[in-house]
């Protein structure tokens, strides 16, 4: 028996597909020729904050919007095979990645794989046992300072040997209280095209 969430998603998809129309004719490359690397946070809707429609741009999402190896892999494919010519790195205020460090995450996982709880100051496991030490070997890419993390990610992408020097990379922070994206000028400077 399907969960309520599965039923809701399938019902929503049926309604979407019923009015799909000419979207079946969208080209594979993004029409507006750019990509966004941003956070997976459910409060962020890149289509709305960046004015996108289906087919306009690539949106790459992960926890924190960090320039992980996999995010860079996606950006390189976005350019090399699908022609994007400009990239954005957009982090956001009040990010969950600011609420823990690698050690906290690894220790929580070592104790239990069940969902942890947060009391506004500390993380804890309501259940104990069944954990795994593998979390100690993962870099979690947590965030201490948003401006610095955006600049670090833009710099990491800019310096990657598979990233062409002629692609500008812009750094921004989305404000979850106002909906505005605010430029991190230092990051954009680091991402300037050659």
């Amino acid at each position: 028996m399907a969960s309520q969430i599965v039923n809701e998603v399938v019902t929503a998809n049926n309604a979407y597909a019923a009015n799909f129309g000419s979207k079946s004719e969208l080209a594979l490359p993004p029409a507006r020729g750019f990509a966004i690397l941003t956070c997976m946070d459910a409060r962020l809707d890149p289509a709305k904050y960046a004015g996108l429609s289906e087919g306009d741009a690539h949106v790459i999402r992960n926890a924190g919007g960090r320039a992980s190896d996999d995010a860079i892999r996606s950006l390189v494919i976005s350019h090399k095979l699908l022609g994007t010519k400009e990239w954005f790195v957009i982090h956001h205020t009040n990010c969950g990645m600011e609420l823990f460090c690698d050690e906290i995450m690894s220790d929580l996982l070592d104790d239990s794989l069940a969902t942890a709880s947060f009391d506004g100051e500390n993380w804890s496991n309501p259940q104990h046992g069944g954990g795994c030490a593998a979390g100690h070997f993962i870099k979690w890419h947590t965030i201490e300072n948003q401006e610095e993390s955006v600049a670090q990610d833009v710099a990491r992408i800019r310096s990657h040997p598979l990233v062409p020097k002629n692609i500008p990379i812009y750094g921004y922070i989305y404000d979850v209280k106002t909906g505005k994206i605010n430029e991190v000028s230092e990051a954009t400077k680091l991402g300037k095209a050659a």
Side-chain angles (χ1 to χ4, degrees), residues 18-180:
N19 298 303
F20 202 63
S22 63
K23 291 177 190 168
S24 65
E25 298 164 17
L26 288 171
L28 183 61
R32 292 175 57 193
F34 71 94
I36 296 172
L37 170 59
T38 195
C39 186
M40 67 185 196
D41 191 302
R43 297 170 294 175
L44 279 62
D45 187 342
K48 290 181 181 167
Y49 74 61
L52 304 177
S53 295
E54 286 106 327
D56 278 352
H58 288 150
V59 177
I60 300 151
R61 298 181 79 160
N62 65 31
R66 302 307 311 265
S68 63
D69 288 345
D70 192 59
I72 293 172
R73 176 189 71 89
S74 296
L75 288 167
V76 169
I77 291 168
S78 175
H79 166 72
K80 182 67 177 173
L81 301 180
L82 297 163
T84 57
K85 295 175 177 48
E86 298 178 72
W87 296 342
F88 290 79
V89 172
I90 305 176
H91 293 191
H92 67 94
T93 60
N94 194 30
C95 184
M97 297 299 285
E98 297 172 288
L99 302 177
F100 65 97
C101 64
D102 285 9
E103 183 180 9
I104 289 171
M105 183 64 163
S106 300
D107 289 348
L108 286 166
L109 288 165
D110 204 0
D111 177 49
S112 170
L113 299 182
T115 301
S117 60
F118 186 64
D119 65 10
E121 302 224 356
N122 297 300
W123 289 95
S124 63
N125 283 325
Q127 304 172 34
H128 302 283
C132 179
H136 291 285
F137 302 98
I138 293 176
K139 173 74 174 140
W140 296 102
H141 301 287
T142 58
I143 295 171
E144 289 185 36
N145 176 288
Q146 283 294 344
E147 290 81 9
E148 288 176 12
S149 70
V150 172
Q152 288 168 357
D153 285 351
V154 168
R156 182 162 196 266
I157 296 165
R158 170 82 297 141
S159 66
H160 197 283
L162 297 178
V163 172
K165 303 300 179 210
N166 65 331
I167 295 177
I169 308 163
Y170 313 108
Y172 282 82
I173 296 174
Y174 172 84
D175 188 326
V176 298
K177 299 293 186 199
T178 67
K180 277 193 63 68

